[in-house]
């Protein structure tokens, strides 16, 4: 549990309050129990003295233990008769109960008057009294001490259950695309959190609307530009057919290359807008291996033209994902296409599809120039290009891959490949069974 979490703070604060309350209650209970135990033993002295005064108990001729008692633990009966020698501390004490020092220790003594001027001293060692009173008081604390861990665990569980709806809301936002995350589910949350929840709903709604407008603008702009750019490319091809001058053909080739880049950028923008849009319905299970083979077949010609060894390293036919076939094709085409593009002649690009720990995994490994470790975190940003890269591109390929992963709550990693200078890309998503 994180120290800056609300659950941790509440649990800590309530635990400290519980301990302080138990300490105060235990101290008060201990003091009362100690006082009551001492009063009970004083009552025992009074009862013993009254029994002797009433003749219900024999008065010994000299100091003696109460019959049937333990020598070290119980009462001492001392007769005090007129004219007889009596222990100095006792003879001078008035009637009543006293605490004195006698015979090398502390004593609690009751002086009880009898008939014919006689008195009797009923005494008990204070050490014995204190031990009995202390143990009696301690026994009263045992139930309270046993309840402390039970109450702490119960209190922590109550706090966890109280804040559980907030955790479910956070999980909903984290695991859904922006449009669906804005539609927070109706759950029972504490009244103190309701204003914050309503504010978050409004903020997410405004943010979703703004993003939707931006996505529509990009998609519409890209769509509107497709036809003019296609027409421009066709006209350039027509012009090339009638040109005889080599210099003009060279300049036209540069123009055609620029038009091709614009056309590729528009296609990528349209793909980005499509994968960022909310899913129209729950996707059906799709076999990943077949899509991987199709993508490799599409990219083999460009890999052969560059002299790159492109192939499948591992292919498990039972790897299935609940996702759009078009989205998975786009993801694999962009990742493998990027690897082929940046891999030098004689390099190697391997695609793997398999199931591991309940996840369907799509892995691409290359031995290209790689990306500096400091730049890896930016590789999935839109329009990001590695500094010094010689190959041309839109900078949207991996951004589209990240959008696909976010759409299906998948996990992507990009790290240096073991044993080569290249990279290892990995996409993971909980596997499903084929329909």
């Amino acid at each position: 549990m994180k120290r800056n979490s609300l659950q941790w703070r509440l649990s800590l604060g309530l635990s400290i309050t519980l301990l302080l309350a138990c300490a105060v209650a235990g101290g008060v209970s201990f003091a009362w129990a100690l006082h009551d135990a001492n009063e009970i033993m004083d009552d025992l002295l009074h009862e013993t003295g009254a029994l002797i005064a009433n003749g219900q108990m024999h008065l010994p001729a000299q100091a003696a233990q109460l019959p049937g008692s333990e020598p070290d633990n119980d009462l001492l009966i001392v007769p005090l008769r007129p004219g007889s020698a009596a222990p100095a501390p006792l003879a001078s004490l008035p009637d009543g109960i006293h605490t004195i020092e006698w015979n090398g220790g502390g004593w609690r003594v009751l002086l009880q008057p009898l008939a014919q001027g006689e008195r009797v001293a009923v005494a008990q060692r204070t050490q014995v009294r204190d031990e009995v009173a202390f143990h009696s008081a301690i026994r009263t604390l045992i139930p309270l001490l046993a309840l402390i861990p039970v109450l702490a665990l119960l209190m922590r569980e109550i706090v966890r259950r109280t804040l559980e709806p907030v955790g479910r809301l956070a999980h909903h936002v984290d695991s859904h695309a922006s449009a669906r995350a804005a539609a927070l589910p109706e759950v029972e949350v504490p009244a103190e959190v309701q204003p914050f929840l309503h504010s978050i709903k409004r903020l997410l709604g405004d943010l979703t609307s703004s993003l939707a407008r931006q996505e529509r603008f990009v998609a519409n702009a890209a769509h509107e530009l497709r036809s003019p750019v296609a027409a421009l490319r066709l006209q350039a091809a027509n012009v090339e057919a009638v040109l005889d001058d080599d210099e003009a053909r060279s300049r036209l080739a540069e123009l055609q290359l620029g038009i091709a880049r614009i056309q590729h950028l528009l296609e990528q923008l349209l793909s980005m807008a499509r994968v960022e849009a909310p899913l129209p319905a729950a996707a059906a299970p799709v076999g990943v291996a077949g899509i991987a083979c199709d993508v490799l077949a599409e990219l083999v010609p460009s890999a052969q033209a560059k002299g790159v060894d492109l192939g499948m390293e591992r292919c498990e036919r039972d790897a299935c994902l609940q996702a759009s076939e078009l989205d998975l094709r786009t993801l694999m085409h962009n990742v493998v296409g990027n690897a082929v593009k940046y891999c030098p002649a004689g390099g190697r690009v391997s695609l793997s599809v398999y199931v591991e720990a309940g996840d369907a995994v799509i892995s691409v490994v290359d031995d290209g120039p790689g990306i500096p470790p400091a730049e890896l975190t930016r590789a999935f940003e839109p329009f990001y290009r590695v500094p010094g890269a010689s190959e041309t591109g839109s900078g949207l390929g991996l951004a589209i891959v990240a959008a696909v992963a976010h759409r299906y709550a998948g996990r992507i990693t990009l790290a240096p490949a073991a044993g080569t200078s290249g990279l290892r890309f990995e996409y993971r998503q909980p596997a499903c069974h084929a329909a």
Side-chain angles (χ1 to χ4, degrees), residues 20-214:
L20 291 176
C22 289
V24 173
V28 173
S29 175
F30 181 82
W32 282 349
L34 198 63
H35 178 266
D36 290 344
N38 280 301
E39 283 194 342
I40 290 172
M41 286 184 284
D42 283 347
D43 289 342
L44 177 62
L45 296 180
H46 282 290
E47 290 175 1
T48 304
L51 290 173
I52 295 175
N54 295 333
Q56 295 175 320
M57 183 179 292
H58 174 69
L59 178 67
Q62 58 185 359
Q65 292 288 136
L66 187 69
S69 65
E70 297 179 7
D72 294 334
N73 295 337
D74 222 321
L75 304 180
L76 178 66
I77 310 298
V78 182
L80 303 175
R81 295 183 173 89
S84 64
L90 302 179
S92 59
L93 291 175
D95 294 343
I97 196 161
H98 310 277
T99 301
I100 64 172
E101 290 291 327
W102 180 40
N103 284 346
W107 291 81
R108 185 75 166 168
V109 181
L110 170 69
L111 275 296
Q112 176 71 39
L114 302 175
Q116 301 177 356
E118 293 182 334
R119 294 194 304 169
V120 63
V122 183
Q124 186 180 35
R125 292 182 183 274
T126 55
Q127 180 182 356
V128 174
R129 291 168 55 91
D130 291 344
E131 288 179 358
V132 173
F134 180 79
H135 289 120
S136 298
I138 285 294
R139 282 193 290 272
T140 65
L141 296 181
I142 292 176
L144 182 61
L145 294 175
L147 275 177
I148 289 178
V150 176
L151 291 175
L153 292 175
L154 183 61
M155 182 176 56
R156 179 177 178 180
E157 181 64 15
I158 291 173
V159 171
R160 187 191 68 79
R161 287 181 177 271
T162 302
L163 297 178
E164 191 174 16
V166 180
R168 289 202 300 267
L169 290 175
H171 177 72
H172 173 83
V173 174
D174 286 340
S175 59
H176 290 79
S178 57
R180 286 188 291 171
L184 294 176
E186 294 296 331
V187 296
E188 291 293 333
V189 295
E192 293 80 5
V193 183
Q194 286 286 355
F196 177 73
L197 178 60
H198 294 324
S199 299
I200 290 295
K201 280 186 175 181
R202 288 195 297 270
L203 176 61
L204 287 175
D206 294 342
L207 180 60
T208 301
S209 299
S210 176
L211 290 174
R213 288 193 297 270
Q214 179 181 344

Side-chain angles (χ1 to χ4, degrees), residues 329-397:
R329 187 181 299 274
T330 300
L331 182 146
M332 282 189 269
H333 196 285
N334 282 356
V335 175
V336 178
N338 265 15
V340 170
K341 180 190 295 185
Y342 291 100
C343 197
R348 177 183 175 86
V349 177
S350 299
L351 173 63
S352 297
V353 173
Y354 55 94
V355 178
E356 182 180 76
D359 290 336
V361 183
I362 300 172
S363 172
V364 178
V365 178
D366 67 72
D367 54 3
I371 298 177
E375 302 288 328
L376 282 174
T377 55
R378 300 188 57 198
F380 295 99
E381 295 178 5
F383 302 107
Y384 171 77
R385 289 179 52 76
V386 178
S390 57
E391 298 291 339
T392 60
S394 63
L396 286 174

Side-chain angles (χ1 to χ4, degrees), residues 204-289:
L204 287 175
D206 294 342
L207 180 60
T208 301
S209 299
S210 176
L211 290 174
R213 288 193 297 270
Q214 179 181 344
E215 290 167 2
R216 284 197 300 271
F217 172 78
V218 172
N220 291 336
H223 188 271
E224 291 299 323
L225 287 172
R226 286 178 73 186
S227 296
V229 170
L232 186 60
R233 188 170 187 177
L234 179 61
Q235 293 297 329
N238 292 335
V239 170
E240 183 183 17
V242 298
L243 283 179
D244 295 328
D245 185 76
D246 291 339
E247 183 179 354
R249 282 180 177 272
S250 175
R251 293 184 178 181
L252 183 61
E254 294 178 3
L255 175 62
Q256 288 176 318
L257 183 59
I259 294 173
R261 290 176 184 170
I262 294 174
Q263 195 168 27
H264 177 67
L265 175 61
L266 294 176
E267 296 296 336
Q268 293 286 66
L269 286 173
L270 287 171
S271 294
M272 176 71 82
R274 178 181 55 77
V275 299
E276 287 184 340
L279 282 170
V286 177
V288 183

